Amino acid sequence: MATNRFVGYLESRKNITGCAGGMVGLVLTFTGVAGPYWAVVVLGLYGAGALIAPPERPALPDFPDPSAQLDEIRADFAKLQTYLADVDLPPGTATRLRALTDILDALLDPGWVSEILAQDPEGVHAVSRAVRQDVPEAVDAFVRTRWWHRMTPGQEPPEQHLERQLAVLLEESESLAAGLRETEARRQESHTRYLEDRQQ
């Protein structure tokens, strides 16, 4: 640890700037300007250089870019689809779930749509949350509750809760898709105005 710090200081801006100041001190010594106080001059110029050097800037954390995040979400979405294929759902609920997964699939499909999505961090987070948390949790809760419902009939059917949850998630995904479509529409309008203004 101490060795790493020492090596880090040798490579630091403070040491390099201080060494440059010390070299100036040596030049002054050899030209006779420093006189008998040459050691004080060399050390003083080294210290002055080390003090005026800009501080070291820590490296920025290496976060994955949005397209890499989407690649990970795509892999998780494929796992989710495999899981959903094995779940037995009532026909109406299955239709609503298919509509939701179709939108998620379209948003994650590599191409210009996912490129627009990648520029929207909140949208990426919403899709990630739907794929990794909301949909699997809703379906798993339905599967577990359905078993208990068979043991204690007369309670509210678990598919009603699942349908309400899927309705909310479907509305969220449709809203996200509409927002991305609006972004593209505004971009197109801006380009039209730019071209028309160029003619004036």
Side-chain angles (χ1 to χ4, degrees):
M1 189 73 171
T3 306
N4 288 346
R5 281 193 194 145
F6 178 70
V7 171
Y9 179 74
L10 288 179
E11 297 173 347
S12 71
R13 294 177 185 168
K14 288 189 174 296
N15 184 49
I16 292 170
T17 309
C19 287
M23 293 294 286
V24 171
L26 288 175
V27 169
L28 292 175
T29 298
F30 290 129
T31 58
V33 176
Y37 302 106
W38 65 271
V40 175
V41 172
V42 171
L43 289 174
L45 288 173
Y46 174 86
L51 285 174
I52 65 169
E56 291 295 319
R57 183 173 58 87
L60 288 171
D62 185 21
F63 295 121
D65 64 8
S67 59
Q69 291 178 0
L70 287 180
D71 287 340
E72 293 174 6
I73 298 171
R74 281 187 197 101
D76 291 341
F77 183 61
K79 293 177 192 173
L80 176 63
Q81 287 180 307
T82 302
Y83 163 72
L84 294 176
D86 294 334
V87 177
D88 181 29
L89 296 174
T93 308
T95 301
R96 193 180 293 263
L97 179 61
R98 193 174 310 109
L100 172 60
T101 55
D102 284 349
I103 292 177
L104 293 173
D105 189 35
L107 290 171
L108 289 170
D109 188 38
W112 63 271
V113 175
S114 63
E115 288 172 9
I116 299 169
L117 175 61
Q119 297 170 16
D120 180 7
E122 290 182 11
V124 172
H125 174 70
V127 172
S128 172
R129 185 181 57 205
V131 168
R132 294 172 171 162
Q133 178 181 339
D134 294 338
V135 174
E137 189 172 317
V139 174
D140 183 58
F142 163 76
V143 171
R144 287 183 284 116
T145 309
R146 180 176 55 181
W147 185 86
W148 287 105
H149 183 71
R150 291 173 184 163
M151 302 279 290
T152 56
Q155 304 288 330
E156 186 178 8
E159 55 266 22
Q160 287 184 4
H161 280 287
L162 179 59
E163 286 197 20
R164 286 163 55 191
Q165 293 166 3
L166 292 177
V168 171
L169 293 172
L170 183 58
E171 184 179 345
E172 285 181 356
S173 62
E174 287 173 342
S175 176
L176 174 60
L180 296 177
R181 185 177 61 244
E182 280 294 315
T183 299
E184 279 301 283
R186 284 194 300 271
R187 188 171 74 89
Q188 185 185 35
E189 289 168 7
S190 296
H191 190 60
T192 302
R193 283 195 300 271
Y194 162 72
L195 292 176
E196 289 173 346
D197 291 345
R198 201 169 66 181
Q199 289 183 326
Q200 295 175 2

